[in-house]
Amino acid sequence: MLMREQQNIIIPEQEPLPTDRAVAALRKAIQAYDPSAVNRSPALSIFRQRVLPADPLIWLFRQSVFPRVFWMNREKDCTLAGIGSADWIRHEAEGSNSDSFDLLVRTLSEKDPAVRYIGGFRFNNMERQDETWSAFPSFSFVLPLVLYAEERDGSWLSCHLFVKEGEDSGRKKTVLLQTLEALDLKADAAIPEMPLLKQVSCIPDRKLWVEGCRKALGLFASGEMDKIMLARRTVLEFGSSFSPLLYLIRYPYPRNATFRFCYEPMENHAFISFTPERLYRRDGQMILTEALAGTCLKESMNGNDFHASEILLNSEKDIREHGFVKEAIFRALQPVSSSVEMEQNLRVLQLNRLAHLYTCCKATLKPEYSSDSTVLSVLHPTPAVGGVPKNEAMQHILDLEPFCRGWYAAPVGWISRDSAEFAVGIRSALVSEEFTNLYSGAGLVEGSDPDLEWDEIEQKIGDLMAIARGSHE
């Protein structure tokens, strides 16, 4: 058994083990461990065992401990599947987004730098929340009790024993052992079919959508706005409740260039996102971000990637829309960075139904600004999901959209003291028992056609609708 005293990391066996043997080794190590011997408070002890590769999503689906969380980055070299709560950082009150970001980072500054908290924020914490989002507060991040991770250095099963001042360390140890004992370790799972989809409705409907878009176009004509993203909520009613993880398991395009995110704080209540858009990745002072805006529908060209690229790279409207996003990100990063490197040439990100204009950006933060609260404040919301100018767009979204965005289009991902990765929570679903609310939007600039933007949203939710209908059409 290897123990790293400086971070209290215990590794029972050096060789990768099958999952059942890994759990047995972790249980033995935890049983032999005396948490009261750690003379600091709060105290975090991490038990990690390398495991032979398995399917993290199927592993997560088999477990019945909540919360359940899932994250996969777009490159598919970081997958996190967690259950239970060793520690939870949550904030319920309304207020400014920057206050929420500051509070989370201040709280994390007191945490162990070796662990990652997984969760998300509200899009606009000044927005009055409705009952639909009652399980999803201003922000919520969890350190899983048990975490299955697949990364470049292999697959790991980790347990987190976190004891705050005044807590009974023996009881916390017992809870962790009981969680390991309750794990379902079968290698596969019988995946149920989706229940019958009974009804579909849209908020706003097409008529009101066109009216809202025309109001936005009026803002462009008056010179008040350059760009705004308006969203639509599609309400699905099923014949019965079901596991939200079925959306991820039955996703018909596993190789698609998207981030996958699921936050299920309680059974059958979850926020899910299949987003192509990275908000940023931070490692110390280094930032990787991107502009992703400008969309081409492949349906009319039989899914031909080459033609989609040709259309986007020669579309004045899409290049103009992308330019607003690119320029806004560059300007936002300049005051807080010692260097900002924005790609000059446009690229095209290919998805199964869509293609997007894409530009990568790298920045080095100034030492005094090298915190996630700074990066979140300057980047969220990007013009791709908010608008230009930023503050005016936030207010117009409140005025024009007849629903609460909640966590839709907000930062979702993982964060630690020294690094973080957040995606933009678009192409998303809020699951609540037998109801699913799909959220997607379209970027409007001068010259946008409201009917074409409606069709674009239909394509953006097409993958989720195919799952809901039990087809991959």
Side-chain angles (χ1 to χ4, degrees):
M1 181 183 295
L2 174 66
M3 181 170 177
R4 301 174 186 169
E5 292 288 351
Q6 70 275 19
Q7 290 182 338
N8 239 32
I9 299 176
I10 298 97
I11 301 175
E13 303 288 344
Q14 293 302 301
E15 294 300 316
L17 300 176
T19 305
D20 57 345
R21 289 177 55 196
V23 170
L26 288 167
R27 288 181 61 205
K28 183 178 179 181
I30 295 167
Q31 287 169 339
Y33 182 70
D34 181 9
S36 63
V38 181
N39 54 6
R40 65 177 185 272
S41 183
L44 174 66
S45 303
I46 305 169
F47 303 82
R48 301 182 71 210
Q49 177 59 53
R50 192 183 294 273
V51 295
L52 297 175
D55 187 328
L57 190 53
I58 296 299
W59 177 86
L60 185 64
F61 178 74
R62 297 201 67 92
Q63 312 314 320
S64 55
V65 176
F66 297 89
R68 297 192 298 193
V69 293
F70 184 83
W71 164 267
M72 178 189 287
N73 66 358
R74 196 171 59 197
E75 294 75 19
K76 299 176 179 56
D77 58 10
C78 175
T79 302
L80 308 173
I83 61 169
S85 168
D87 188 28
W88 217 331
I89 307 173
R90 287 178 286 192
H91 182 55
E92 300 282 351
E94 294 179 7
S96 71
N97 284 351
S98 58
D99 285 348
S100 292
F101 302 150
D102 288 343
L103 178 59
L104 175 64
V105 170
R106 284 200 310 272
T107 306
L108 277 170
S109 69
E110 303 169 357
K111 305 295 184 181
D112 194 301
V115 294
R116 291 174 286 197
Y117 287 72
I118 304 167
F121 295 90
R122 285 178 184 161
F123 175 79
N124 183 354
N125 201 37
M126 298 296 288
E127 180 180 34
R128 184 171 296 279
Q129 303 301 296
D130 61 27
E131 188 61 27
T132 308
W133 292 96
S134 60
F136 298 86
S138 302
F139 66 76
S140 185
F141 286 81
V142 65
L143 171 64
L145 197 60
V146 181
L147 178 70
Y148 188 106
E150 279 192 352
E151 300 186 81
R152 292 178 181 177
D153 65 344
S155 301
W156 293 85
L157 192 64
S158 301
C159 299
H160 301 112
L161 180 59
F162 185 76
V163 182
K164 298 178 183 178
E165 185 175 1
E167 289 186 327
D168 184 338
S169 60
R171 188 187 69 81
K172 298 294 288 280
K173 174 179 167 179
T174 298
V175 170
L176 179 54
L177 287 169
Q178 288 173 341
T179 301
L180 287 175
E181 179 69 28
L183 290 179
D184 187 334
L185 301 178
K186 297 183 183 68
D188 55 6
I191 307 302
E193 297 294 328
M194 293 289 289
L196 177 66
L197 178 59
K198 295 170 57 179
Q199 186 172 325
V200 180
S201 58
C202 297
I203 305 173
D205 61 20
R206 188 159 193 151
K207 179 176 178 292
L208 292 177
W209 166 263
V210 171
E211 290 178 7
C213 288
R214 285 176 177 161
K215 290 178 182 177
L217 292 173
L219 299 172
F220 306 146
S222 68
E224 186 175 346
M225 297 290 299
D226 292 318
K227 180 190 185 296
I228 193 168
M229 192 274 265
L230 293 183
R232 194 188 82 191
R233 172 181 163 194
T234 305
V235 183
L236 313 182
E237 182 181 358
F238 293 89
S240 62
S241 62
F242 58 95
S243 170
L245 292 176
L246 288 181
Y247 280 109
L248 289 102
I249 293 171
R250 294 197 169 278
Y251 187 64
Y253 304 102
R255 296 179 183 271
N256 223 10
T258 60
F259 295 85
R260 321 283 166 86
F261 175 81
C262 178
Y263 195 85
E264 188 177 8
M266 54 187 178
E267 187 173 9
N268 297 343
H269 293 261
F271 178 73
I272 296 168
S273 177
F274 295 90
T275 174
E277 185 176 356
R278 173 184 281 116
L279 184 61
Y280 72 91
R281 169 68 194 253
R282 181 179 75 87
D283 291 289
Q285 291 176 239
M286 304 304 296
I287 290 292
L288 175 66
T289 184
E290 64 196 34
L292 190 78
T295 303
C296 177
L297 312 184
K298 294 184 178 180
E299 187 178 53
S300 59
M301 56 189 71
N302 299 318
N304 187 298
D305 289 358
F306 176 78
H307 287 155
S309 295
E310 285 290 300
I311 288 172
L312 276 175
L313 293 172
N314 290 280
S315 167
E316 186 277 334
K317 180 261 184 187
D318 288 296
I319 291 173
R320 181 158 43 91
E321 179 184 346
H322 184 85
F324 286 132
V325 178
K326 182 177 174 180
E327 179 65 19
I329 291 173
F330 184 79
R331 288 181 177 274
L333 286 173
Q334 273 191 317
V336 300
S337 305
S338 57
S339 68
V340 183
E341 300 175 20
M342 179 73 75
E343 285 181 340
Q344 295 304 308
N345 295 328
L346 291 175
R347 291 196 267 171
V348 177
L349 181 70
Q350 299 287 351
L351 304 175
N352 58 297
R353 296 173 184 267
L354 305 162
H356 299 290
L357 289 175
Y358 166 78
T359 304
C360 186
C361 177
K362 296 179 181 178
T364 302
L365 297 171
K366 295 175 182 177
E368 63 269 31
Y369 293 118
S370 57
S371 87
D372 290 290
S373 59
T374 296
V375 185
L376 286 163
S377 293
V378 300
L379 288 182
H380 173 73
T382 71
V385 295
V388 179
K390 178 177 178 176
N391 293 332
E392 288 82 349
M394 294 286 272
Q395 183 58 52
H396 287 304
I397 287 168
L398 290 177
D399 296 338
L400 293 172
E401 289 181 353
F403 57 85
C404 174
R405 283 199 177 189
W407 282 26
Y408 165 67
V412 296
W414 63 264
I415 186 170
S416 68
R417 268 172 44 180
D418 300 325
S419 58
E421 184 164 30
F422 284 101
V424 181
I426 56 175
R427 319 285 162 85
S428 56
L430 176 65
V431 182
S432 180
E433 300 293 351
E434 71 270 26
F435 290 94
T436 296
N437 292 278
L438 304 182
Y439 296 87
S440 195
L444 303 176
V445 294
E446 187 177 2
S448 292
D449 183 327
D451 287 307
L452 291 180
E453 304 298 347
W454 177 277
D455 294 340
E456 180 179 312
I457 289 176
E458 289 291 306
Q459 289 297 310
K460 287 176 176 176
I461 66 171
D463 293 345
L464 288 167
M465 287 301 300
I467 300 168
R469 293 189 171 113
S471 69
H472 294 169
E473 296 175 4

